[in-house]
């Protein structure tokens, strides 16, 4: 151990909010993985499927911004979903520079199952909490999440379309 590392204050993980958020995220990802794996999805791909099925996003750029993925990661994720037959990428008829992403028939069938599958996981994970505690948890997490809005708006460029 170096002298510099000895000078750093020791942080008790048990008291760290970041540690507990990370542990909770890992539990949720593990359970979601078990639930959506049989559908041919990963937990990370759920967001793309929801965004497309709800019509919230229609381009790789919009998906990247909505889900906070860099363009390279989003391209690789879309490649995998396309290979599975869940999405199709096409050039926009209005602007040939823009790539549009749409669910295929198979993708729509899978996306239609996600609310039930993901809802069951969330019901299981949140079972120990009262309705008021769930509402409070949502409120507290949202207070953290809204801080990112300014960051997303300032770092997003309107001309960084992903192909």
């Amino acid at each position: 151990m170096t002298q510099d590392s000895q000078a750093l204050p020791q942080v008790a993980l048990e008291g760290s909010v970041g540690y507990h958020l990370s542990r909770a995220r890992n539990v949720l990802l593990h359970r979601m993985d078990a639930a959506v794996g049989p559908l041919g999805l990963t937990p990370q791909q759920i967001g793309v499927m929801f965004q497309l099925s709800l019509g919230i996003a229609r381009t790789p750029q919009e998906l990247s911004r909505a889900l906070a993925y860099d363009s390279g990661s989003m391209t690789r994720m879309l490649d995998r979903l396309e290979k599975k037959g869940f999405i199709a990428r096409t050039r926009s008829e209005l602007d040939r520079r823009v790539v549009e992403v749409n669910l295929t028939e198979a993708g729509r069938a899978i996306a239609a199952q996600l609310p039930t599958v993901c809802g069951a996981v969330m019901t299981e994970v949140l079972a120990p909490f009262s309705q008021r505690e769930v509402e409070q948890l949502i409120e507290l997490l949202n207070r953290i999440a809204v801080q990112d809005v300014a960051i997303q708006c300032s770092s997003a460029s309107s001309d960084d379309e992903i192909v």
Side-chain angles (χ1 to χ4, degrees):
M1 193 174 241
T2 67
Q3 192 172 21
D4 287 341
S5 64
Q6 290 175 343
L8 296 174
Q10 295 296 317
V11 177
L13 290 178
E14 297 78 24
S16 168
V17 173
Y19 172 74
H20 289 288
L21 284 172
S22 180
R23 283 188 64 209
R25 178 183 179 274
N26 289 342
V27 167
L28 187 57
L29 283 175
H30 176 74
R31 293 198 184 166
M32 280 295 176
D33 188 46
V36 300
L39 300 176
L41 292 175
T42 66
Q44 294 77 13
Q45 294 168 340
I46 296 169
V48 171
M49 299 296 285
F50 270 127
Q51 294 281 317
L52 294 172
S53 69
L54 297 173
I56 297 170
R58 62 176 185 76
T59 68
Q61 181 182 16
E62 291 170 353
L63 288 165
S64 290
R65 287 182 184 164
L67 300 171
Y69 280 94
D70 64 78
S71 63
S73 295
M74 182 56 65
T75 298
R76 289 186 297 278
M77 186 177 308
L78 294 177
D79 287 346
R80 289 188 291 274
L81 288 169
E82 191 169 41
K83 187 175 182 178
K84 293 176 184 183
F86 295 154
I87 65 155
R89 288 181 272 198
T90 57
R91 292 280 174 190
S92 168
E93 291 184 19
L94 298 175
D95 185 345
R96 301 292 296 155
R97 297 172 295 173
V98 175
V99 173
E100 293 179 344
V101 183
N102 294 290
L103 292 174
T104 61
E105 187 174 326
R108 285 189 294 277
I110 293 296
Q113 297 176 59
L114 289 177
T116 302
V117 171
C118 295
V121 170
M122 293 309 301
T123 298
E124 178 187 338
V125 169
L126 297 173
F129 298 95
S130 70
Q131 181 62 35
R132 177 64 194 125
E133 288 172 322
V134 171
E135 291 167 2
Q136 185 177 22
L137 178 61
I138 291 169
E139 180 185 330
L140 294 171
L141 291 172
N142 192 49
R143 285 170 52 188
I144 294 171
V146 296
Q147 296 177 41
D148 192 43
V149 172
I151 295 168
Q152 286 181 14
C153 291
S154 67
S155 66
S157 170
S158 62
D159 61 353
D160 59 356
E161 185 65 41
I162 305 164
V163 180

